[in-house]
């Protein structure tokens, strides 16, 4: 399965600032997704990162708050804009598995704390 | 839309005892089912999956799960747990089709194995 590297692994941010999280995959993948795991909560899908077009956002998530880039088949970024303490979460990148496997592989996540 | 309910938020158990982590789901379509494990400060790792075929699926680390369509359940079991199994376990569903890769997760079950 694909190996995913996420940067940063953790960060402490100030209210009102923005942070960009990078997701690098060691092989070309069709689908890339961004999930959020708020403290003590389960994972929620933020958006699907589409190569060559705008990301597809799930209900409750908007592009102005979570802009996403996907310049090629191995890389994506998620920006958390104008952060507030409520954005303190683990943000995880995930990619689809081998063709037909219907399995997602997850990165180790980026743990953000907003003060 | 799909939903997933993990019936136990925390399960304490002694080492070498059997364990069952319960998961129920609801969906209007056929689904793919997954169990993921999250060790402290790590990303998610796939334990096992049900895509089709035999309703009893075996995964890594001695875990298995049984898909029960009539009861819409996908309970995770292990006959003898180890200290190293202490982690949080997430049940997830994927409706496939246009929803491929968009996992709906349960709230998680924290398994604590005591010596």
């Amino acid at each position: 399965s694909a190996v995913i590297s996420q940067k940063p692994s953790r960060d402490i941010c100030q209210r009102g600032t923005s942070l960009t999280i990078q997701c690098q995959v060691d092989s070309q993948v069709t689908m890339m997704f961004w999930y959020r795991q708020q403290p003590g909560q389960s994972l929620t899908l933020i958006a699907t990162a589409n190569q060559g077009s705008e990301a597809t956002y799930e209900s409750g998530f908007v592009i102005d708050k979570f802009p996403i880039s996907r310049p090629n088949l191995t890389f994506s970024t998620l920006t958390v804009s104008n952060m507030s303490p409520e954005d303190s979460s683990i943000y995880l990148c995930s990619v689809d598995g081998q063709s037909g496997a219907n399995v997602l592989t997850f990165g180790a996540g980026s743990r953000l704390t907003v003060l | 839309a799909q939903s997933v309910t993990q019936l136990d938020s925390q399960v304490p158990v002694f080492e070498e005892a059997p364990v069952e982590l319960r998961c129920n789901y609801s969906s209007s379509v056929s689904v793919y089912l997954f169990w993921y494990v999250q060790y402290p400060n790590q990303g998610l790792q796939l334990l096992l999956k049900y895509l089709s075929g035999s309703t009893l699926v075996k995964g890594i680390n001695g875990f298995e799960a049984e898909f029960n369509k009539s009861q819409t359940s996908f309970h995770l079991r292990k006959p003898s747990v180890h200290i190293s199994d202490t982690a949080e376990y997430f049940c997830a569903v994927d409706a496939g089709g246009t929803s491929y890769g968009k996992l709906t997760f349960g709230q998680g079950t924290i398994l604590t194995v005591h010596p």
Side-chain angles (χ1 to χ4, degrees):
Chain A
S1 59
V3 176
I4 301 172
S5 299
Q6 271 189 247
K7 292 180 181 179
S9 59
R10 58 178 65 225
D11 207 339
I12 299 174
C13 308
Q14 297 299 316
R15 183 193 299 258
T17 63
S18 299
L19 184 79
T20 296
I21 302 167
Q22 298 180 0
C23 176
Q24 178 73 55
V25 190
D26 69 343
S27 58
Q28 293 187 343
V29 293
T30 305
M31 311 287 282
M32 294 183 79
F33 306 92
W34 287 97
Y35 282 82
R36 180 177 74 179
Q37 185 178 20
Q38 293 178 296
Q41 307 267 337
S42 188
L43 288 85
T44 302
L45 179 64
I46 297 172
T48 303
N50 301 309
Q51 196 269 327
S53 63
E54 272 194 6
T56 305
Y57 290 84
E58 298 300 305
S59 176
F61 297 97
V62 295
I63 188 171
D64 290 345
K65 177 66 176 178
F66 298 101
I68 288 171
S69 78
R70 175 122 188 243
N72 56 53
L73 293 176
T74 64
F75 186 78
S76 178
T77 67
L78 168 75
T79 299
V80 186
S81 302
N82 188 24
M83 286 185 284
S84 66
E86 292 70 35
D87 294 317
S88 297
S89 298
I90 301 173
Y91 294 86
L92 298 102
C93 172
S94 68
V95 303
D96 64 328
Q98 297 174 351
S99 177
N102 293 94
V103 173
L104 295 189
T105 299
F106 285 82
S110 299
R111 182 184 295 268
L112 302 188
T113 301
V114 184
L115 303 177
Chain B
Q2 298 78 239
S3 68
V4 180
T5 302
Q6 291 183 240
L7 297 163
D8 306 292
S9 59
Q10 297 194 49
V11 174
V13 64
F14 286 106
E15 193 173 18
E16 298 183 5
V19 70
E20 178 179 79
L21 307 184
R22 297 179 293 169
C23 172
N24 286 99
Y25 70 93
S26 68
S27 176
S28 58
V29 298
S30 296
V31 296
Y32 304 117
L33 295 155
F34 307 87
W35 276 97
Y36 283 87
V37 59
Q38 186 176 36
Y39 297 104
N41 299 312
Q42 296 188 27
L44 273 74
Q45 179 180 1
L46 179 70
L47 268 181
L48 49 76
K49 62 185 182 291
Y50 173 78
L51 304 181
S52 65
S54 173
T55 57
L56 181 64
V57 292
K58 296 187 182 296
I60 62 171
N61 300 339
F63 284 93
E64 64 180 32
E66 184 157 19
F67 169 56
N68 188 320
K69 187 175 182 178
S70 63
Q71 297 186 7
T72 60
S73 67
F74 191 54
H75 300 334
L76 180 71
R77 303 185 182 99
K78 185 169 182 178
S80 176
V81 294
H82 302 289
I83 298 286
S84 59
D85 292 323
T86 294
E88 188 161 18
Y89 293 78
F90 291 95
C91 181
V93 301
D94 178 352
T98 56
S99 298
Y100 168 60
K102 298 180 181 180
L103 295 181
T104 300
F105 283 86
Q107 291 298 103
T109 298
I110 297 174
L111 173 66
T112 304
V113 181
H114 297 285

